Amino acid sequence: MPAKTQDIVARVLARCDQLAQFSELEDGVLRQYLTPEHRAANQQVAQWLNDAGLMSWQDSVGNQWGRLPAAKENVPRLILGSHLDTVPFAGKYDGILGVLLAVELLSYFSDQAPLPFHLDVVGFADEEGTRFGTTLIGSKALAGQFASHWLQLTDRSGTTMADALQEFGLSADQTSAATLNARDILAYWEVHIEQGPVLEALQQPLGVVSGIAGAKRAHIRIQGQAGHAGTTPMHMRQDALAGAAELIQFIETSARGGQHQEVATVGNVNVKPGAANVIAGACTLTLDVRALNDADRDALVLRIEAFAQQMAAQRQLNCEFDWYHEAPAVLCNNHIQQQFHQAARNAGLQIPTLPSGAGHDAMAVASVAPVGMLFLRSPGGISHHPDERVIADDIGLAFNVMKEALMLQALK
Amino acid sequence: MPAKTQDIVARVLARCDQLAQFSELEDGVLRQYLTPEHRAANQQVAQWLNDAGLMSWQDSVGNQWGRLPAAKENVPRLILGSHLDTVPFAGKYDGILGVLLAVELLSYFSDQAPLPFHLDVVGFADEEGTRFGTTLIGSKALAGQFASHWLQLTDRSGTTMADALQEFGLSADQTSAATLNARDILAYWEVHIEQGPVLEALQQPLGVVSGIAGAKRAHIRIQGQAGHAGTTPMHMRQDALAGAAELIQFIETSARGGQHQEVATVGNVNVKPGAANVIAGACTLTLDVRALNDADRDALVLRIEAFAQQMAAQRQLNCEFDWYHEAPAVLCNNHIQQQFHQAARNAGLQIPTLPSGAGHDAMAVASVAPVGMLFLRSPGGISHHPDERVIADDIGLAFNVMKEALMLQALK
């Protein structure tokens, strides 16, 4: 790695450490929407931008922006970015890394020939939804999808989002001012840690994201008949947990057989009455189903529901699905994917394509602009945890690939 | 049903209601060992015995006894009985019915020609183990199996069994005085509700018990790797719950395939971390395995353990069994079983044979005497619950069968 890139990587890592200090927790990282820590992080990022001679501003929902202006004024903007908020006991890189790498890219190009587009960086204010329970607030506001009823959502202490905006120095009346016009946006490019084990397993530092999986989530309730574990013969049971086990097995097998990166997860089971010597009378399972394509995901959901009803009928159980969450899949722009691959080759790398199973701001921005995403490998696949890590060399490679991609874009 | 039998049934049912009034709970039935309610129930049963002109006494661990003496003095005793204590929010018949039916049988034979054996009734003081966590205290004391370390067991309020015996008017030094000599006991016959659904499904009022299943219980710990439900492809998972589901299925299938009334139950699953969007990192299951024959049960246990290790290896999980309870199976005496069947035929009934999956005092008494058990059907298979019921006509039939069995015994 050339000395200059080494400096960039060292600065990015040091700044990730610095932003992690703006935390609501003494013994971990937590930075929620519209808190003093949110303000402090925005101000710090603005300071770094200004130190590099770049413009900075905060929009009407609290997203932090920076800009390297184009030579001409009336040209669209290419936006680089990610989010600055965190979950409780977070790592230091989820979201943050993409913002700070973008700051470095603006800074780098500020020393080069002017670009034919404004090069913007955005640090979205709330992607995780930790405080008010609704995710992608910052990027949805950009995309004109800020829902007015959100203003009445409350945090744990009972403060509404409207009041929190006021306390932050913003106004509940002005959220729509954060919305951008689709024709003003050339593209949105997001660099993010993978938060999964795929790149590490492939021994690849980086990957181009093909799309962001759409998710559906349900609570599955299985009702059987409790009974004495000693006195009820096997053939006379209506064991809700045995039915649940059959369903969990089917869910796993069906998702494994999928051709389009389907994943399906039962993450929890709750058994009633839940005693060692009593046959399970009822179970509740959580189900999370994702695929890169909504039709594939929905086909998998239908197969699971059909099997569940058949299983329930055979076992004289009752089985109900309560679907409480649905987000459509979003594909990354094909041209941008190719451009990232070409940029990687220009930087001397051959990198794979992979889907994102987790949600990202790019999902929301995709409704107003072509989006592209570049993943950095996550050691151990770990994220949303203090052990979240990133490999220094991978940051240098990501910087180079994005730099090459911007150079390709400038030549268009 | 003849008028005389109707009177007996009505009296038994009324007395079950009366004993249910001796409860520690205002809104349900609970009668624990060495409580004022235990004393009151014993005194009431003694009163009923005395009213019928029968002897009564309480032994040194609080079991309530009654006797119709034989013509001669130096003859063995045939003991009829069951237990008088209850679980919390119990029904009115579990144990109680067997004691009160025995009181009626003693009363009936007191008007007949003298028997060649003492006919005893016992109301065991603690079968359920509700207060001190150890079961079959009354019948184990009879069988010389009262363990001296039990005296240091404490109830929820911290009272030791030794102190509770003292408060009840008994002595911790005298528990061995409750032990009977094997050569003095002709047999122990227990009438009990089935607590399961088998007789009801067969549309049979009564059944002869072939034996009491031996039980083994384990906690099974499965350790996998937590991960993001969206970003971890199916083939890269170490999903502890998916492994648990495979194991639960195998347990059910193996027990179903058993030839000797094996039952195996997973009654609870606990998942960590247990979130909808996180792959299960670890699970704990309860396992309860029973069979009429310890060798069959242990063979089933070995099959389950072997499968679990194979499953764990294939899925890169770790699986451990912690066996925390074991009780051997007890067979009912074959001659007594035949005698009960003959008695049933003499009473005009053809009744089935069935195993007991639940434990009973007869298990403990079996170490010093031949034991026999007669089950009454349990509507809905329900017990240990306020909805526990018994059919009046079935009580009349049980009385008749036991009467006939005693007459056969007298002729021997």
Side-chain angles (χ1 to χ4, degrees):
Chain A
M1 190 156 53
K4 210 160 178 181
T5 314
Q6 275 183 19
D7 290 348
I8 289 167
V9 170
R11 192 160 50 233
V12 166
L13 285 171
R15 287 176 173 181
C16 287
D17 288 345
Q18 259 181 283
L19 286 187
Q21 301 302 312
F22 300 123
S23 172
E24 300 167 52
L25 301 174
E26 288 212 352
D27 53 345
V29 180
L30 170 62
R31 197 162 52 250
Q32 298 181 95
Y33 187 39
L34 303 175
T35 57
E37 291 73 21
H38 171 193
R39 188 201 319 280
N42 277 6
Q43 287 174 349
Q44 180 61 74
V45 171
Q47 183 66 50
W48 288 328
L49 288 161
N50 299 341
D51 289 349
L54 298 159
M55 295 168 59
S56 73
W57 69 97
Q58 184 178 273
D59 72 14
S60 69
V61 296
N63 296 320
Q64 178 61 45
W65 289 85
R67 171 169 291 186
L68 170 65
K72 295 183 196 170
E73 201 156 307
N74 273 330
V75 290
R77 44 168 96 183
L78 192 153
I79 305 171
L80 308 176
S82 189
H83 61 93
L84 288 170
D85 67 315
T86 79
V87 294
F89 296 100
K92 297 185 286 193
Y93 309 106
D94 176 354
I96 323 300
L97 179 72
V99 180
L100 298 182
L101 202 70
V103 171
E104 295 298 330
L105 287 159
L106 266 66
S107 178
Y108 173 84
F109 280 98
S110 69
D111 290 337
Q112 312 293 318
L115 294 167
F117 44 82
H118 300 305
L119 184 59
D120 283 5
V121 53
V122 63
F124 286 116
D126 188 328
E127 188 255 14
E128 304 284 7
T130 312
R131 182 166 180 187
F132 294 102
T134 193
T135 59
L136 307 180
I137 294 172
S139 45
K140 284 191 171 172
L142 179 154
Q145 294 169 10
F146 187 99
S148 57
H149 70 86
W150 292 351
L151 293 167
Q152 302 317 314
L153 293 174
T154 53
D155 65 11
R156 283 181 180 218
S157 73
T159 305
T160 62
M161 194 188 295
D163 287 343
L165 282 163
Q166 189 91 27
E167 283 170 32
F168 196 79
L170 298 169
S171 165
D173 300 336
Q174 297 298 318
T175 58
S176 62
T179 301
L180 297 185
N181 202 316
R183 68 169 173 268
D184 295 335
I185 313 175
L186 196 60
Y188 170 74
W189 295 358
E190 182 167 357
V191 177
H192 203 284
I193 59 170
E194 181 199 334
Q195 302 182 267
V198 176
L199 290 174
E200 183 176 59
L202 296 172
Q203 298 183 285
Q204 293 283 351
L206 306 174
V208 175
V209 178
S210 53
I212 302 166
K216 281 190 85 164
R217 286 195 197 152
H219 290 119
I220 309 175
R221 293 192 186 83
I222 302 179
Q223 183 71 43
Q225 179 68 50
H228 193 297
T231 62
T232 315
M234 298 308 290
H235 68 279
M236 295 182 73
R237 298 179 173 210
Q238 292 163 265
D239 183 333
L241 181 54
E246 199 177 335
L247 182 56
I248 292 168
Q249 283 252 79
F250 179 84
I251 289 167
E252 185 191 39
T253 308
S254 302
R256 276 193 187 187
Q259 301 294 310
H260 300 93
Q261 281 107 355
E262 289 93 334
V263 288
T265 308
V266 177
N268 202 14
V269 177
N270 200 288
V271 185
K272 294 255 160 85
N277 63 342
V278 183
I279 297 160
C283 286
T284 308
L285 322 185
T286 61
L287 173 63
D288 177 299
V289 184
R290 311 191 194 200
L292 254 197
N293 165 318
D294 293 341
D296 293 324
R297 183 199 62 194
D298 293 345
L300 176 55
V301 161
L302 282 178
R303 285 201 301 280
I304 291 170
E305 286 185 313
F307 179 86
Q309 293 316 324
Q310 186 189 326
M311 174 281 291
Q314 274 175 3
R315 288 176 173 272
Q316 296 184 272
L317 304 171
N318 189 275
C319 184
E320 285 176 13
F321 286 66
D322 171 21
W323 294 100
Y324 66 94
H325 170 77
E326 176 165 6
V330 168
L331 292 181
C332 290
N333 179 275
N334 222 357
H335 296 296
I336 298 176
Q337 289 186 52
Q338 295 317 314
Q339 194 168 329
F340 284 5
H341 279 296
Q342 184 58 51
R345 284 192 293 275
N346 293 356
L349 291 171
Q350 187 75 36
I351 64 176
T353 302
L354 78 168
S356 172
H360 293 290
D361 288 302
M363 293 172 84
V365 182
S367 65
V368 289
V371 301
M373 286 193 78
L374 186 75
F375 271 171
L376 277 80
R377 85 180 117 187
S378 287
I382 296 164
S383 72
H384 285 195
H385 191 278
D387 290 345
E388 179 180 284
R389 287 194 303 121
V390 71
I391 296 168
D393 284 357
D394 296 354
I395 299 175
L397 296 174
F399 177 83
N400 287 339
V401 170
M402 294 309 283
K403 184 185 77 180
E404 294 291 338
L406 285 164
M407 285 163 65
L408 288 171
Q409 187 68 35
L411 295 175
K412 278 196 176 174
Chain B
M1 190 156 53
K4 209 160 177 182
T5 314
Q6 275 181 19
D7 290 347
I8 290 167
V9 170
R11 193 160 50 232
V12 166
L13 286 171
R15 288 177 172 181
C16 286
D17 288 345
Q18 259 180 283
L19 286 188
Q21 301 303 311
F22 300 122
S23 173
E24 300 167 52
L25 302 174
E26 288 214 351
D27 52 346
V29 179
L30 171 62
R31 196 163 52 252
Q32 297 181 96
Y33 187 40
L34 302 175
T35 57
E37 291 74 20
H38 172 192
R39 188 201 320 279
N42 278 6
Q43 287 174 348
Q44 179 61 75
V45 171
Q47 183 67 52
W48 288 327
L49 287 161
N50 299 340
D51 289 350
L54 299 160
M55 295 166 61
S56 74
W57 69 97
Q58 184 178 274
D59 72 15
S60 69
V61 297
N63 296 321
Q64 178 61 46
W65 291 85
R67 172 171 290 187
L68 171 64
K72 293 184 196 168
E73 199 155 310
N74 273 329
V75 290
R77 42 170 96 183
L78 192 154
I79 304 171
L80 309 176
S82 190
H83 60 94
L84 288 170
D85 67 313
T86 80
V87 294
F89 296 100
K92 297 184 285 194
Y93 309 107
D94 176 353
I96 323 300
L97 180 72
V99 180
L100 298 182
L101 202 70
V103 171
E104 294 298 331
L105 286 160
L106 266 66
S107 177
Y108 173 85
F109 280 98
S110 69
D111 290 336
Q112 313 293 320
L115 293 168
F117 44 81
H118 300 305
L119 184 59
D120 283 4
V121 54
V122 63
F124 286 116
D126 187 327
E127 187 255 13
E128 304 283 8
T130 312
R131 183 166 180 187
F132 293 102
T134 194
T135 59
L136 307 180
I137 294 173
S139 45
K140 284 190 171 173
L142 179 154
Q145 295 169 8
F146 187 100
S148 57
H149 69 87
W150 292 350
L151 293 167
Q152 302 317 315
L153 293 174
T154 52
D155 65 11
R156 282 180 183 220
S157 73
T159 305
T160 62
M161 195 187 293
D163 288 344
L165 281 162
Q166 189 91 28
E167 283 170 32
F168 197 78
L170 298 170
S171 165
D173 299 336
Q174 297 297 318
T175 58
S176 61
T179 301
L180 297 187
N181 202 317
R183 67 170 172 266
D184 295 335
I185 313 175
L186 196 59
Y188 171 74
W189 296 356
E190 182 168 358
V191 178
H192 203 284
I193 58 169
E194 180 199 335
Q195 302 182 267
V198 175
L199 291 173
E200 184 177 60
L202 296 172
Q203 298 183 286
Q204 293 282 352
L206 306 173
V208 176
V209 178
S210 52
I212 302 167
K216 280 190 86 166
R217 287 196 194 151
H219 290 119
I220 309 174
R221 295 193 184 82
I222 302 178
Q223 183 71 43
Q225 180 70 49
H228 192 298
T231 63
T232 314
M234 298 307 289
H235 69 279
M236 296 182 71
R237 297 179 173 211
Q238 293 164 264
D239 183 334
L241 181 54
E246 200 176 332
L247 182 57
I248 292 168
Q249 284 252 78
F250 179 84
I251 289 167
E252 186 191 39
T253 308
S254 303
R256 276 193 188 187
Q259 303 294 310
H260 300 93
Q261 283 108 354
E262 290 93 333
V263 288
T265 308
V266 177
N268 201 14
V269 178
N270 199 288
V271 186
K272 295 255 159 84
N277 63 342
V278 182
I279 296 160
C283 284
T284 308
L285 322 185
T286 62
L287 174 62
D288 177 300
V289 184
R290 309 190 195 201
L292 253 197
N293 166 318
D294 293 341
D296 293 324
R297 183 199 63 194
D298 293 345
L300 176 55
V301 161
L302 283 178
R303 286 201 302 281
I304 291 170
E305 286 186 311
F307 180 86
Q309 293 315 325
Q310 186 187 326
M311 174 282 289
Q314 275 174 3
R315 290 176 172 271
Q316 296 184 271
L317 305 171
N318 188 274
C319 185
E320 283 175 15
F321 285 66
D322 171 20
W323 294 100
Y324 66 94
H325 170 77
E326 175 164 5
V330 168
L331 292 181
C332 289
N333 180 275
N334 221 356
H335 297 294
I336 299 176
Q337 289 186 53
Q338 296 316 315
Q339 194 168 329
F340 285 4
H341 279 297
Q342 185 58 52
R345 283 191 294 274
N346 293 355
L349 291 171
Q350 188 75 34
I351 63 176
T353 301
L354 77 169
S356 171
H360 293 289
D361 287 302
M363 294 171 83
V365 181
S367 65
V368 290
V371 300
M373 286 193 77
L374 187 75
F375 271 171
L376 277 79
R377 85 180 116 188
S378 286
I382 296 165
S383 72
H384 285 194
H385 191 279
D387 291 345
E388 179 180 285
R389 286 196 301 121
V390 70
I391 296 168
D393 284 356
D394 296 355
I395 298 176
L397 296 174
F399 177 84
N400 287 341
V401 170
M402 294 309 282
K403 184 185 76 180
E404 293 290 339
L406 284 165
M407 286 162 64
L408 288 172
Q409 187 68 37
L411 295 175
K412 278 195 175 175

